Amino acid sequence: MSAATQERMPALYLSHGAPPLADDPVWPGELAAWAAALPRPRAILVVSAHWEEAPLALGATETVPLVYDFWGFPQHYYEVTYAAPGAPELAASVRKLLRAPGMPVQDVPDRGLDHGAYVPLVEMYPGADIPVLQVSMPTLDPVRLLEIGRRLAPLRDEGVLIVGSGFFTHNLAALRQGGIPAWSAEFDDWGRRALEARDVDALLDFTRKSPAGLLAHPRTEHFAPLFVTMGAADATGELDAQKSVIDGFWMGLAKRSVQFG
């Protein structure tokens, strides 16, 4: 990466939506306004709920086709493009920061951005003119993901926007038509209060310490990217500089999205 910028980039956890996000009357504007309020990044690093691979993997460092990792949607959702530049310099920096005994890093040069990355980026940076690198989650262990985030934290001083992309509540099987399920509302309220209290221990143990934790996240991959974001903030002492930029619900799921720094 090139010389450090004078302004440290925030670290984000966002609820990324699904392909129909583009049709929502409110949410795309919220994401666009959020991006407009941020310093312009030199590059974007995304850790998405939709890419679990060990050892930790770096996606394509040049523009390749998107990964349409969803089924049963109308055809036009499969025609969305987002030809952001690759980020080979960022990939080189990530390798240096993460490679260590017991933490190998692999390259998957044909792996394009999945919908956890490109769906929100289409709304936030529609020009697709900022280099983007996607990094896999090698584990769902919150403590290990927190450490990965800490290791990545220096990138923020080089103009890199670190984005953990998940969903604040995510249980499609338990959703009912209409309304907000009690488990979704309860977990969202608990998570908001835990974040505001900087209760890292409770968040790390969210499946046991939160109400309806296993209903809100029967499988934890959509909450897990939060810990990468938190690690990137904790390493710079910025867990206190936290705010929910987007809240509310979409199809019964909590779309809470958080900025650190």
Side-chain angles (χ1 to χ4, degrees):
M1 297 295 291
S2 52
T5 60
Q6 292 186 350
E7 188 169 13
R8 174 180 292 154
M9 290 300 299
L12 314 183
Y13 169 80
L14 57 80
S15 295
H16 60 238
L21 169 63
D23 304 323
D24 187 82
V26 175
W27 201 358
E30 292 178 317
L31 288 168
W34 191 3
L38 296 172
R40 181 172 173 82
R42 289 185 176 177
I44 301 171
L45 185 153
V46 181
V47 176
S48 163
H50 294 282
W51 192 16
E52 297 174 54
E53 185 163 342
L56 184 143
L58 307 184
T61 56
E62 59 183 43
T63 304
V64 300
L66 300 176
V67 177
Y68 301 104
D69 53 335
F70 45 84
W71 299 267
F73 286 87
Q75 180 59 32
H76 67 275
Y77 294 122
Y78 301 90
E79 297 170 355
V80 173
T81 60
Y82 194 75
E89 289 186 4
L90 175 56
S93 295
V94 171
R95 290 186 199 100
K96 291 178 182 177
L97 290 169
L98 292 185
R99 272 189 178 144
M103 189 181 288
V105 176
Q106 62 173 320
D107 291 282
V108 185
D110 60 348
R111 212 282 182 179
L113 304 177
D114 63 46
H115 81 266
Y118 77 78
V119 164
L121 291 180
V122 165
E123 310 302 336
M124 297 178 78
Y125 300 102
D129 54 355
I130 299 173
V132 179
L133 177 71
Q134 189 167 343
V135 177
S136 76
M137 285 193 297
T139 177
L140 296 180
D141 179 356
V143 174
R144 288 183 61 195
L145 292 173
L146 199 72
E147 177 59 25
I148 289 171
R150 290 190 180 113
R151 288 173 176 259
L152 293 172
L155 297 172
R156 295 176 55 206
D157 288 321
E158 299 181 1
V160 177
L161 181 65
I162 296 175
V163 178
S165 177
F167 225 125
F168 209 71
T169 61
H170 193 266
N171 185 344
L172 302 182
L175 287 175
R176 296 179 176 82
Q177 291 283 42
I180 300 168
W183 54 262
S184 189
E186 290 170 2
F187 185 90
D188 179 61
D189 180 65
W190 173 86
R192 174 188 59 79
R193 289 184 285 106
L195 284 165
E196 290 175 353
R198 286 58 170 165
D199 193 344
V200 175
D201 290 340
L203 290 162
L204 289 171
D205 198 15
F206 69 95
T207 57
R208 294 194 304 168
K209 294 189 176 179
S210 64
L214 289 176
L215 267 175
H217 292 284
R219 194 172 184 281
T220 62
E221 80 286 345
H222 275 75
F223 202 60
L226 172 65
F227 299 109
V228 177
T229 303
M230 289 178 60
D234 184 42
T236 54
E238 291 176 293
L239 286 179
D240 287 344
Q242 171 269 131
K243 60 181 178 181
S244 288
V245 179
I246 297 174
D247 58 16
F249 296 83
W250 185 68
M251 298 182 66
L253 300 177
K255 60 179 184 177
R256 185 170 302 280
S257 298
V258 185
Q259 176 176 326
F260 295 87

